[in-house]
Amino acid sequence: MSNSPGIFRRLFATLWLWITRLRIALSNLLFLVVLVLLVAVFSEEAAEPLPDKAALLINPIGTVVEQKSYVGPVTLLFSEQAPSEQEVLLQDLIDSIRYAKDDPSITALVMELEMLFGIGISKSEAIAAAIADFRTSGKPVVAWGDYFSQGQYFLAAQADTVILHPMGAVEIEGFGSYQWYLKDALEKLSVSAHVFRA
């Protein structure tokens, strides 16, 4: 009898040897990719420092909200742009204005309101209060735009200077023209409304 291993045993040993070599090569390749990514991340240039004197630009894009909308994973997977990307947090705007008031490198506040599509009265008043607080620092506030809707103009009116394109327009319809639906609320609160007309 021969002591040499069988053909199947030799074939299996050769196959196992190639699998081991492939596994080692792939793990080395993965290690190199991770190493290159780490070097790329940590070798990025540092952010350019801010100048000694600058203006804070407030340029909200979308709708001002108190809390961003929930976006499900399926929506994120199949849509090019999440709905929450068109929303600006109210508190972020207020905080930016408050920090700029005390920052000595910020010399002015500039508001570019063209891309602000929706803002309620209560949110406008909160931002207006932050702008009024900013103005106590003695720094100028400038509003700029080609066209102002009513909500945009409410914020622009808080500025020291409003710059409007010569061919621009301001749409003012009056807050009193909005419809208030208070019937159900008054019924729940057991409030009787008495309307007097002259």
Side-chain angles (χ1 to χ4, degrees):
M1 281 181 88
S2 168
N3 286 338
S4 64
I7 183 110
F8 291 113
R9 192 171 185 181
R10 279 182 290 159
L11 182 64
F12 181 74
T14 304
L15 181 64
W16 190 256
L17 177 66
W18 281 104
I19 288 173
T20 303
R21 288 181 181 170
L22 181 64
R23 178 178 50 84
I24 291 171
L26 287 176
S27 63
N28 286 342
L29 184 63
L30 180 64
F31 173 75
L32 287 174
V33 168
V34 169
L35 188 64
V36 167
L37 287 174
L38 286 174
V39 168
V41 166
F42 290 112
S43 67
E44 285 185 11
E45 294 180 16
E48 192 174 314
L50 292 174
D52 293 336
K53 300 294 179 189
L56 173 65
L57 174 65
I58 299 290
N59 183 14
I61 298 175
T63 306
V64 176
V65 295
E66 292 181 5
Q67 181 177 356
K68 289 203 173 187
S69 302
Y70 170 75
V71 181
V74 175
T75 306
L76 287 174
L77 186 63
F78 291 111
S79 67
E80 293 180 13
Q81 188 174 24
S84 61
E85 292 178 18
Q86 292 294 319
E87 296 175 342
V88 180
L89 285 174
L90 173 65
Q91 196 59 48
D92 287 350
L93 289 173
I94 293 172
D95 289 343
S96 299
I97 296 168
R98 284 186 182 153
Y99 294 145
K101 174 190 173 191
D102 300 324
D103 190 344
S105 63
I106 300 295
T107 59
L109 174 66
V110 178
M111 296 185 293
E112 186 178 340
L113 304 169
E114 285 185 328
M115 301 302 289
L116 177 62
F117 298 127
I119 185 167
I121 297 171
S122 62
K123 296 176 189 75
S124 297
E125 288 177 345
I127 296 172
I131 294 170
D133 185 45
F134 178 87
R135 289 175 66 195
T136 61
S137 66
K139 300 175 183 178
V141 179
V142 178
W144 175 85
D146 290 335
Y147 168 86
F148 290 125
S149 67
Q150 182 161 288
Q152 293 169 345
Y153 187 69
F154 181 82
L155 291 179
Q158 311 306 314
D160 300 312
T161 306
V162 177
I163 302 171
L164 182 66
H165 188 279
M167 300 298 290
V170 178
E171 177 189 358
I172 298 178
E173 56 193 26
F175 290 110
S177 67
Y178 293 165
Q179 300 247 350
W180 296 92
Y181 299 98
L182 300 176
K183 180 179 180 285
D184 292 338
L186 293 176
E187 287 177 359
K188 288 179 183 177
L189 296 171
S190 300
V191 175
S192 300
H194 300 283
V195 179
F196 297 95
R197 295 187 182 176

